[in-house]
Amino acid sequence: MSNTQTINYKKYYPTAAALYFTYFIHGIGASILGQYKQDFAALWGAEKLADGTFDVSMVLAVIAALGLGRLISLPFAGPISDKFGRKVSGLIGIICYVAYLGGIVFSPNMTVGYIFAIIGGVANSFLDTCVSPSCMEIFPENGSIANMFTKFSISVAQFLLPFMIGFVASSMLPFKTIFLVAAAAIAIDGILIAFLPFPPKNGGNAEVKSNESVKKEKMKFTPVSVALISIGFTCSSTFMLWLNCNQELGILYGVSDPSKIQSLYAAGTVCAILMSTVLIKKGIKPVKILVLYPAISAAMLLAMYFIKTPTIVLVGGFVLGYAAAGGVLQLCVSTANEMFPKDKGKITSIVMIASSIANYTILNIAGALTKMGGAEQGPLYVLLFNFVVTVIGVLLALYVNKEYSKNIA
């Protein structure tokens, strides 16, 4: 406790700002492929459908490769962060992000694009195991809120992205423009991060400073921790499916400008993070939010399946931005970090592995469902599938909440 009091955390605030900016760029990198599916499908020689558009299933497969890259790298990204420091992990992530953003737009075919997407997934892993633990260590008294604001950074980027796309289109600039500007921006941020100070790992806590005892002690997994890790899978599935497949649903339901769905989704996410911050400050436990938000998502997905109007998709965009993407994954990571305070990098990796499995498997299934159902039924198949996965997440969260309540009692 004395260590926490003597450390001047204010000197790390510029570091936190630079780290949050990496997640701003990540917000662009994680969703921009979904906004330019037709452009990439044309670039990679996809076949044309009867309505004159390109088959985007191959682009969905490349987006899924972001999850594969995370899966490949997360098992060692966490240990590298814990052993060599958060800065090393962050710089590796930034270098990989520059390669991904700069490389994928010059990929001559799907195979090369797939490789660069894997590199993008590796970038995401190393940023995850740097930014989340670092921000929780910079703000030790408000770790959950600090981690929530990683999602806030992503959401601001995703809110602005449609406006960026509109500016690029109206200026007659190539669709590659945003990718290249983002690559340059994160590269400059990486140079700053290389020179900025980072806090001691684990916030300088004396009880976790004894490296020898920490290394000998193995992480012990209980049914509750396994359920919590599994929520990393289900909550990621909900927002990944929506983020990458909402445009097709919007077109099917007659939305005149489907890009509005993305803006409303991002606005909902920002509102959720601000509201969740207030709730946590008022003493509401994050595990309660892990039940509430997925339940709202499930209800909204079901409503959209039965009510086929343009308005419901726009409302759904905001609600799912709020309840599915509004920091649920970050609260899951924060809760897991509390369970394993000596292994923050590793447990962050494990939760993100669950998230990555979702990204890879779920989006591949979405691609198959889209191809199987075509323009008329494919989006509905994906919507129903999303509902089922989200309900499983609600059940897992109820179990975790119940066990938490027992421990507190």
Side-chain angles (χ1 to χ4, degrees):
M1 188 190 287
S2 59
N3 282 329
T4 304
Q5 290 173 343
T6 55
I7 294 173
N8 177 18
Y9 286 97
K10 287 185 179 179
K11 69 179 179 181
Y12 302 119
Y13 289 179
T15 307
L19 292 174
Y20 284 131
F21 184 76
T22 66
Y23 264 47
F24 176 87
I25 300 298
H26 171 52
I28 294 171
S31 55
I32 194 167
L33 287 178
Q35 302 302 307
Y36 282 115
K37 287 198 286 286
Q38 285 294 318
D39 298 270
F40 280 104
L43 184 66
W44 297 334
E47 63 177 278
K48 276 200 170 183
L49 301 173
D51 62 359
T53 61
F54 289 97
D55 177 10
V56 298
S57 57
M58 69 162 61
V59 185
L60 284 173
V62 170
I63 294 170
L66 289 165
L68 180 60
R70 291 176 77 201
L71 271 177
I72 293 167
S73 55
L74 276 169
F76 53 86
I80 285 173
S81 175
D82 284 338
K83 185 171 182 180
F84 298 105
R86 313 300 184 208
K87 181 182 287 192
V88 172
S89 181
L91 291 175
I92 293 170
I94 287 166
I95 291 165
C96 290
Y97 236 120
V98 172
Y100 157 63
L101 289 167
I104 199 159
V105 288
F106 294 109
S107 301
N109 53 54
M110 176 193 169
T111 304
V112 177
Y114 201 89
I115 292 167
F116 277 113
I118 288 173
I119 293 171
V122 173
N124 193 348
S125 298
F126 279 96
L127 287 184
D128 282 341
T129 55
C130 162
V131 179
S132 289
S134 293
C135 290
M136 292 176 76
E137 288 158 356
I138 291 170
F139 303 98
E141 302 302 318
N142 295 288
S144 292
I145 293 170
N147 199 29
M148 286 274 288
F149 272 82
T150 61
K151 185 65 183 183
F152 183 85
S153 304
I154 293 171
S155 303
V156 170
Q158 290 175 340
F159 177 76
L160 294 175
L161 183 56
F163 299 102
M164 296 179 200
I165 292 170
F167 175 78
V168 166
S170 64
S171 303
M172 304 296 287
L173 294 168
F175 80 93
K176 299 173 183 178
T177 303
I178 297 173
F179 290 84
L180 298 177
V181 170
I186 198 170
I188 294 167
D189 192 47
I191 294 168
L192 290 174
I193 286 170
F195 293 99
L196 286 168
F198 275 66
K201 292 199 298 275
N202 303 307
N205 247 340
E207 63 188 60
V208 289
K209 253 188 164 179
S210 170
N211 284 337
E212 289 180 18
S213 61
V214 169
K215 296 212 179 201
K216 287 177 186 173
E217 189 179 324
K218 290 185 178 178
M219 296 173 73
K220 293 176 184 174
F221 294 97
T222 63
V224 180
S225 60
V226 171
L228 186 61
I229 291 163
S230 300
I231 292 170
F233 177 95
T234 56
C235 73
S236 298
S237 300
T238 304
F239 71 76
M240 281 290 177
L241 280 167
W242 180 254
L243 188 62
N244 290 291
C245 302
N246 66 71
Q247 302 287 295
E248 288 74 23
L249 186 71
I251 292 166
L252 178 64
Y253 281 14
V255 176
S256 57
D257 182 7
S259 69
K260 286 181 182 174
I261 303 170
Q262 171 71 18
S263 293
L264 287 165
Y265 167 89
T269 307
V270 170
C271 289
I273 291 162
L274 296 175
M275 178 58 72
S276 298
T277 300
V278 172
L279 293 174
I280 292 168
K281 280 282 191 185
K282 287 186 176 290
I284 304 295
K285 295 291 181 188
V287 285
K288 302 284 186 191
I289 299 173
L290 290 180
V291 177
L292 177 63
Y293 284 7
I296 293 170
S297 296
M300 191 70 243
L301 288 164
L302 197 62
M304 282 191 289
Y305 183 78
F306 288 108
I307 305 169
K308 298 178 172 64
T309 65
T311 304
I312 197 72
V313 184
L314 296 172
V315 171
F318 180 85
V319 171
L320 287 170
Y322 185 99
V328 177
L329 179 59
Q330 285 67 33
L331 287 174
C332 183
V333 169
S334 301
T335 307
N337 271 250
E338 288 171 13
M339 278 189 180
F340 299 94
K342 299 178 185 179
D343 299 283
K344 288 178 181 171
K346 286 180 191 149
I347 194 60
T348 299
S349 280
I350 291 167
V351 175
M352 291 304 181
I353 284 170
S355 173
S356 303
I357 293 171
N359 190 54
Y360 184 63
T361 58
I362 294 290
L363 287 178
N364 273 317
I365 292 169
L369 290 172
T370 300
K371 203 171 182 80
M372 182 174 70
E376 292 297 319
Q377 292 298 318
L380 294 174
Y381 291 167
V382 172
L383 192 64
L384 195 56
F385 176 56
N386 200 354
F387 168 74
V388 172
V389 176
T390 305
V391 167
I392 293 169
V394 174
L395 296 175
L396 287 167
L398 283 168
Y399 170 69
V400 171
N401 185 60
K402 179 183 171 188
E403 293 303 311
Y404 251 73
S405 299
K406 275 187 195 172
N407 292 336
I408 291 168

